[in-house]
């Protein structure tokens, strides 16, 4: 979920999380993604990765990844209540580049996860 003024759906973060889930299952997201469900859609096919997008109010960013099975589910959520958390990350990344060779880097590099 994001604020009511956000114009894209799903968000880049949501798509990135979907890509990670697909990669973990060794499938292509484009082959298993379902971005909308409305009306009489029938049951969800096995292996499908669904996206539900909400927009409203002044929500900075709420993301939940849900792994649902019969009788149980696991949810991992991140809720940002201030854009300051993203600004801190951008500043950290900018400072990290000092003295680095020109190239393509990601936040995985900045955080030491690459």
């Amino acid at each position: 979920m994001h604020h009511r003024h956000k114009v894209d759906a799903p968000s880049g973060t949501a798509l990135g999380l979907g890509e990670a889930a697909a990669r973990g299952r060794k499938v292509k997201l484009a082959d298993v993604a379902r971005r909308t469900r409305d009306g009489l859609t029938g049951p969800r096919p096995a292996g499908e990765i669904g996206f539900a997008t909400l927009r409203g109010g002044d929500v900075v960013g709420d993301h939940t990844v849900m792994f649902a099975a019969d009788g149980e589910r696991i949810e991992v959520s991140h809720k940002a209540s201030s854009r300051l958390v993203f600004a801190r990350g951008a500043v950290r990344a900018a400072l990290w580049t000092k003295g680095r060779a020109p190239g393509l880097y990601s936040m995985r590099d900045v955080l030491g996860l690459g």
Side-chain angles (χ1 to χ4, degrees), residues 7-82:
V7 297
D8 63 322
S11 68
T13 301
L15 291 172
L17 292 167
E19 287 285 355
R23 198 168 40 254
R25 293 177 40 216
K26 297 180 176 41
V27 297
K28 292 182 180 180
L29 182 61
D31 294 340
V32 296
R34 171 74 66 96
R35 295 189 183 192
T36 59
R37 286 178 63 85
D38 186 37
L40 298 174
T41 62
R44 182 177 293 286
E48 186 175 83
I49 296 176
F51 292 84
T53 302
L54 299 172
R55 299 289 184 256
D58 63 353
V59 175
V60 173
D62 292 358
H63 294 90
T64 299
V65 176
M66 183 182 303
F67 301 93
D70 292 339
E72 65 180 335
R73 71 179 175 265
I74 298 170
E75 297 180 17
V76 179
S77 293
H78 174 260
K79 298 180 186 300
S81 57
S82 169

Side-chain angles (χ1 to χ4, degrees), residues 60-111:
V60 173
D62 292 358
H63 294 90
T64 299
V65 176
M66 183 182 303
F67 301 93
D70 292 339
E72 65 180 335
R73 71 179 175 265
I74 298 170
E75 297 180 17
V76 179
S77 293
H78 174 260
K79 298 180 186 300
S81 57
S82 169
R83 287 181 177 78
L84 184 60
V85 296
F86 302 112
R88 279 193 213 121
V91 170
R92 180 175 177 175
L95 293 172
W96 180 86
T97 64
K98 183 178 179 184
R100 304 265 179 206
L104 178 63
Y105 298 101
S106 75
M107 285 304 289
R108 292 182 62 81
D109 300 308
V110 174
L111 299 173

